[in-house]
Amino acid sequence: RTFISLYKGFNSEQTLLILYNVASSIFYYADNKLLSYKEGRYLNEGSNNTRGLQNVGVEGGDVEFIENKIKVSSGTTMVYLHANEDNGTYFVDRCTSKTGDDNGDPEHNFIIEEVTSLPVTITDAGYATWYAPVAVQLPDGLTAYTITIHGDYAITGEGFKQVPANTGVILEGTKGTTYELEIIGSAPEVESIMKGTVAAEILPNESAYVLSTDKGTRELGFYMADDGEASWSHKAYLPKSAIPADAQM
């Protein structure tokens, strides 16, 4: 179980085709499957899903690393991944080639490296939520908080700089800034009523509150997730069950 980056380069003088350690190149590898860090969707061998990613909530195919190629298969269907471009944005995609050779086309060949830090971008409100299967060390300028519920308000506790694995928190930093969170072996445990997911999933109707700004007042807070809204990869939410009945909306 680890995070890896899949990227390419034509030569040492040119810009990488898929940039190392940007969100679109990072995948979580566990149980023989690759999960997109950016979107929380599994790599898929099917031919009707864009960018080689399965639909939210649907498991992907099994992954096999063959030298510097990556094969994704399910049953009798399998494809090799390749690099693709869409309006100047490069990404990992499936390919219908059954051999991974494609007449010598190097687009199937990837540089595969273990990732030692994960990027997170703070919203324009100055906050973000976080949840990951690994512990992380926060850089300067970024602080994590857990929350407690007092009446109609979610109150943050004392800030801390190390977030343990599988723990939902709020992150405070400079709005619009992307920070690198260093992956570490472990961190002191903290109690948190926030939950999260590694893979994106559809939240059951009226089951959770997500951190957002009110459409009318623009006030930052936890608001009921819309019907059919997804809990995205490595984001935390506040389950309705954690909120006193008289404070639920």
Side-chain angles (χ1 to χ4, degrees):
R1 294 173 178 268
T2 187
F3 286 90
I4 61 174
S5 182
L6 310 178
Y7 67 103
K8 300 177 64 66
F10 293 119
N11 56 51
S12 59
E13 285 76 34
Q14 292 182 306
T15 303
L16 293 175
L17 182 59
I18 296 180
L19 296 176
Y20 170 66
N21 214 32
V22 297
S24 60
S25 77
I26 297 175
F27 291 83
Y28 181 53
Y29 178 62
D31 301 322
N32 292 326
K33 301 183 186 301
L34 282 172
L35 180 73
S36 166
Y37 169 73
K38 182 177 181 180
E39 298 192 39
R41 297 191 288 157
Y42 286 98
L43 279 174
N44 169 52
E45 82 290 346
S47 59
N48 61 347
N49 290 277
T50 60
R51 303 194 179 185
L53 298 178
Q54 188 56 278
N55 295 326
V56 172
V58 181
E59 195 170 71
D62 289 331
V63 170
E64 182 179 358
F65 297 93
I66 304 173
E67 295 181 348
N68 56 349
K69 298 181 177 66
I70 305 164
K71 183 175 76 174
V72 186
S73 60
S74 177
T76 59
T77 306
M78 66 93 173
V79 297
Y80 285 82
L81 301 183
H82 73 133
N84 209 337
E85 179 182 5
D86 180 17
N87 297 324
T89 300
Y90 295 99
F91 55 91
V92 177
D93 197 4
R94 53 176 165 65
C95 179
T96 56
S97 169
K98 299 298 183 182
T99 66
D101 179 60
D102 201 19
N103 298 320
D105 188 343
E107 294 305 298
H108 294 290
N109 299 324
F110 287 93
I111 300 171
I112 304 171
E113 293 186 358
E114 184 174 0
V115 167
T116 58
S117 65
L118 298 170
V120 62
T121 300
I122 302 300
T123 68
D124 289 341
Y127 294 88
T129 62
W130 173 260
Y131 181 94
V134 293
V136 292
Q137 171 72 49
L138 305 188
D140 292 342
L142 194 63
T143 304
Y145 301 92
T146 59
I147 61 172
T148 55
I149 304 299
H150 294 275
D152 294 336
Y153 294 92
I155 308 299
T156 57
E158 185 177 350
F160 49 97
K161 301 292 287 186
Q162 291 186 338
V163 182
N166 304 312
T167 304
V169 297
I170 293 176
L171 300 178
E172 182 182 18
T174 302
K175 61 182 181 180
T177 300
T178 297
Y179 296 89
E180 291 290 333
L181 281 57
E182 179 188 358
I183 297 174
I184 56 178
S186 63
E189 294 296 319
V190 296
E191 292 188 11
S192 176
I193 60 175
M194 297 179 68
K195 304 296 182 183
T197 59
V198 179
E201 61 181 34
I202 301 298
L203 296 170
N205 189 30
E206 296 187 355
S207 67
Y209 295 82
V210 294
L211 185 67
S212 59
T213 53
D214 183 81
K215 295 178 181 179
T217 65
R218 307 302 298 171
E219 183 179 359
L220 180 69
F222 282 92
Y223 298 94
M224 179 67 73
D226 294 332
D227 186 17
E229 186 171 348
S231 171
W232 292 110
S233 177
H234 302 92
K235 302 296 183 183
Y237 61 89
L238 186 60
K240 184 177 180 180
S241 59
I243 302 176
D246 58 359
Q248 295 179 11
M249 294 182 291

